[in-house]
Amino acid sequence: MKNLDWSGLSFGYVPTDYNVRCYYRNGKWGEIEISSDEYLKLHMAATCLHYGQEAFEGLKAYRCPDGKVRLFRAEENAARLQQTCRGIVMPEVPTDLFIEMAEKVVRLNQAYIPPYESGASLYLRPLLIGTSANVGVKPSKEYLFLIFATPVGPYFKGGFVSNPYVIERRFDRAAPLGTGKYKVGGNYAASLKANKLAHEKGYVSEFYLDSKEKKYVDECGAANFFGIKNNTYVTPKSSSILPSITNKSLMQIAEDLGMKVECRPILEEELDTFEEAGACGTAAVISPISHLDDIETGKVYSYGDKPGAWSTKLYETLRGIQYGTVADKHGWTRVVID
Ligand SMILES: Cc1ncc(COP(=O)(O)O)c(C=O)c1O
């Protein structure tokens, strides 16, 4: 294992030894290639650079207390990437290819998988880009799919602690019939300004209402939202949010723990009725919300400075499954190194 300051890692980029690549040419995917180069040689007219033909994914490999290394729900990331591919007219990366490359990049970089005790993990970033030169707006003929790996610490400093969020009405992240449900770079570009303003005001992230009416809850920056009341886990149904794999898992765990689960539109006013609320995603698992401020109306939705009982239980169960300490009864994990 490399000698890194594992517990001091942030959610950033640390170089590792290898990435894996596969090219799509003449209508088919080629062989998997292993590379030690951190750079890409790209045509300056590549469609990914001009027309945003770019999609990515994010998943983690965990070094577990039993000594094994596990990947969490990689098939779900493959399926979501395929949805994104259909959404922005790129060839789908087959699930088998996705999984083979994910496993390979973990094994090749195993010296960079943080120790269990550090709370850090190995983040995988699959990336698919259109590489053909085109000056007219049309899909590329050729593509590059790659996966790199980088060790990461917690997304928010302090890990599982409650943080403040701010409702940002001046910007839309994605349109109702746009690309919000796909993991494409353009959505993140659209969020950067709102995110910067939120940080400047001391919030960990911006929080979006629906773009059309600003009446319903959408998501929390780069994470889905859930609220809890009366033993019920409630999460928004919206056509412009990313279908989070963490949220999907938490809905199942909530049900397993005996909670009711509702996925439906959530009016902003309903935020007042939740006993607990949180943001969820691969990076933080759950980031409990301490308070959510609607600066324009002066309304403050408060959920307490400490994570609530249900959020804690959900967090511990999901982390336990990822680290192999809680029974994986739905078969969500895949042992990559035994
Ligand atoms: C916009 C957005 N929403 C939600 C999520 C959470 O998704 P997941 O749980 O699959 O990481 C992410 C992170 O990938 C995201 O970027």
Side-chain angles (χ1 to χ4, degrees):
M1 205 185 293
K2 296 280 168 181
N3 191 16
L4 297 182
D5 173 16
W6 301 111
S7 7
L9 285 172
S10 62
F11 199 85
Y13 176 79
V14 173
T16 52
D17 293 340
Y18 302 102
N19 56 82
V20 291
R21 304 177 180 199
C22 187
Y23 291 89
Y24 181 88
R25 294 184 182 121
N26 303 317
K28 56 179 192 301
W29 290 100
E31 296 297 313
I32 299 172
E33 299 174 18
I34 297 170
S35 172
S36 291
D37 193 352
E38 287 175 86
Y39 290 85
L40 306 175
K41 189 161 188 242
L42 264 186
H43 195 285
M44 59 190 172
T47 63
C48 62
L49 298 176
H50 299 262
Y51 307 124
Q53 253 202 328
E54 181 272 356
F56 64 101
E57 273 300 326
L59 66 163
K60 284 176 171 175
Y62 305 86
R63 195 182 288 284
C64 303
D66 61 4
K68 298 181 182 179
V69 174
R70 290 178 171 82
L71 265 177
F72 184 71
R73 305 198 80 173
E75 298 79 3
E76 289 286 335
N77 292 94
R80 189 169 64 187
L81 179 60
Q82 289 155 7
Q83 266 170 42
T84 300
C85 289
R86 292 192 287 275
I88 64 163
V89 196
M90 304 201 287
E92 291 176 33
V93 176
T95 303
D96 289 352
L97 178 63
F98 185 100
I99 302 285
E100 192 181 341
M101 288 175 67
E103 291 194 344
K104 209 179 250 308
V105 82
V106 171
R107 291 197 189 105
L108 286 166
N109 293 297
Q110 54 183 287
Y112 293 90
I113 309 173
Y116 171 65
E117 299 72 28
S118 66
S121 51
L122 188 73
Y123 182 73
L124 306 191
R125 172 52 65 86
L127 174 72
L128 174 62
I129 55 174
T131 53
S132 303
N134 256 351
V135 286
V137 182
K138 57 176 185 274
S140 179
K141 286 202 171 68
E142 300 193 342
Y143 294 82
L144 166 61
F145 177 58
L146 67 85
I147 309 184
F148 68 79
T150 189
V152 292
Y155 196 70
F156 297 121
K157 277 196 220 90
F160 190 62
V161 291
S162 299
N163 282 303
Y165 286 69
V166 63
I167 293 178
E168 181 49 84
R169 293 164 181 273
R170 290 169 299 171
F171 303 94
D172 295 328
R173 175 187 163 273
L177 300 176
T179 55
K181 57 185 173 297
Y182 307 129
K183 205 160 167 66
V184 297
N187 299 338
Y188 297 83
S191 76
L192 288 174
K193 193 157 178 192
N195 186 263
K196 177 169 176 272
L197 294 172
H199 283 150
E200 282 169 3
K201 293 196 208 99
Y203 297 96
V204 290
S205 173
E206 77 283 18
F207 186 102
Y208 295 102
L209 299 177
D210 75 284
S211 307
K212 195 171 172 188
E213 296 183 273
K214 298 287 177 207
K215 271 170 65 181
Y216 296 94
V217 173
D218 249 359
E219 56 182 338
C220 323
N224 275 183
F225 171 82
F226 68 84
I228 294 174
K229 61 178 173 187
N230 309 325
N231 297 337
T232 307
Y233 181 101
V234 189
T235 192
K237 188 174 170 62
S238 160
S239 63
S240 52
I241 63 177
L242 191 78
S244 155
I245 295 160
T246 312
N247 197 9
K248 189 171 178 183
S249 310
L250 289 172
M251 284 190 256
Q252 180 64 57
I253 293 171
E255 208 179 293
D256 294 348
L257 293 173
M259 301 177 82
K260 259 181 69 188
V261 175
E262 295 174 3
C263 179
R264 56 167 171 79
I266 301 177
L267 278 169
E268 182 186 348
E269 296 87 273
E270 194 179 350
L271 289 169
D272 236 354
T273 66
F274 293 121
E275 296 145 16
E276 300 177 33
C280 62
T282 297
V285 181
I286 288 177
S287 165
I289 299 176
S290 55
H291 56 98
L292 174 60
D293 297 352
D294 191 339
I295 292 184
E296 270 172 50
T297 61
K299 183 81 197 159
V300 175
Y301 304 99
S302 293
Y303 305 107
D305 289 337
K306 294 223 169 62
W310 273 124
S311 302
T312 306
K313 184 84 190 139
L314 289 164
Y315 172 81
E316 284 173 352
T317 309
L318 182 49
R319 289 253 315 170
I321 296 171
Q322 289 168 336
Y323 281 98
T325 58
V326 167
D328 177 15
K329 59 181 185 186
H330 300 290
W332 287 341
T333 59
R334 158 186 298 272
V335 174
V336 180
I337 300 173
D338 218 335

